[in-house]
Amino acid sequence: MTKKFLVLHGPNLNLLGTREPGIYGCQTLSDINSSLGDLSTELGCELSFFQSNSEGELIDSIQSAVGECHGILLNPAAYTHTSIAIRDALSAVGLPCVEVHLSNIHSRETFRHTSIIAPVAVGQICGFGCDSYLLGLRALFNYVKKI
Ligand code: DQA
């Protein structure tokens, strides 16, 4: 059966390309989604994509993935560090989630060192720019294949 994954991008990631390129790189969100699309063809899985600046919309999207997707590739952006509600949504749906970040959150400001999401994720990949997403998709795909 073809595996399907939700790729979920949190707040301000719609600005990638022009947003602090020294930290987040020059690739736009649609460049990242397109690279993920190429990888999904190679792996033989299907992706759906969603970005929102709103916590509630991200939670609705996580809830809607039940019965539709086998896992979630998530960059919660700033909500990584603040959102108990997104963490609870992931716990509630029980879908495997891989958390990704373009930057290395552990080498930045101390308020970024804590991820509220990480304890309910299968794992976290950060610091590799766009490759964090590609590594994350491979990790999620391999994880889901085994369960
Ligand atoms: C980010 C890291 C977060 O701390 C930040 O708030 C973001 C992007 C990243 O991909 O490096 O918006 O998730």
Side-chain angles (χ1 to χ4, degrees):
M1 196 223 293
T2 306
K3 302 295 184 193
K4 295 184 186 171
F5 301 105
L6 170 65
V7 180
L8 202 49
H9 306 281
N12 300 306
L13 295 173
N14 55 313
L15 300 179
L16 288 177
T18 55
R19 177 190 180 199
E20 299 180 87
I23 297 173
Y24 298 117
C26 295
Q27 286 186 298
T28 64
L29 195 61
S30 76
D31 293 334
I32 291 173
N33 287 344
S34 160
S35 299
L36 285 167
D38 292 344
L39 178 59
S40 72
T41 306
E42 181 191 320
L43 296 173
C45 62
E46 285 177 20
L47 302 180
S48 55
F49 300 94
F50 185 66
Q51 187 277 330
S52 179
N53 295 322
S54 139
E55 190 175 25
E57 285 187 358
L58 293 166
I59 291 165
D60 289 342
S61 176
I62 290 167
Q63 292 184 6
S64 302
V66 176
E68 298 291 326
C69 294
H70 298 93
I72 301 175
L73 184 67
L74 172 64
N75 184 346
Y79 286 135
T80 306
H81 319 295
T82 63
S83 182
I84 294 169
I86 290 177
R87 174 193 167 128
D88 282 354
L90 291 167
S91 275
V93 301
L95 288 168
C97 169
V98 171
E99 176 189 345
V100 297
H101 301 280
L102 296 151
S103 64
N104 179 356
I105 56 173
H106 304 287
S107 68
R108 298 183 61 195
E109 303 94 328
T110 45
F111 65 84
R112 296 186 204 276
H113 294 182
T114 301
S115 169
I116 287 178
I117 307 301
V120 298
V122 176
Q124 181 196 71
I125 299 171
C126 69
F128 298 99
C130 178
D131 283 344
S132 293
Y133 280 93
L134 300 175
L135 293 164
L137 178 58
R138 282 187 189 278
L140 182 59
F141 180 76
N142 289 339
Y143 180 85
V144 163
K145 255 194 333 193
K146 287 183 208 145
I147 54 175

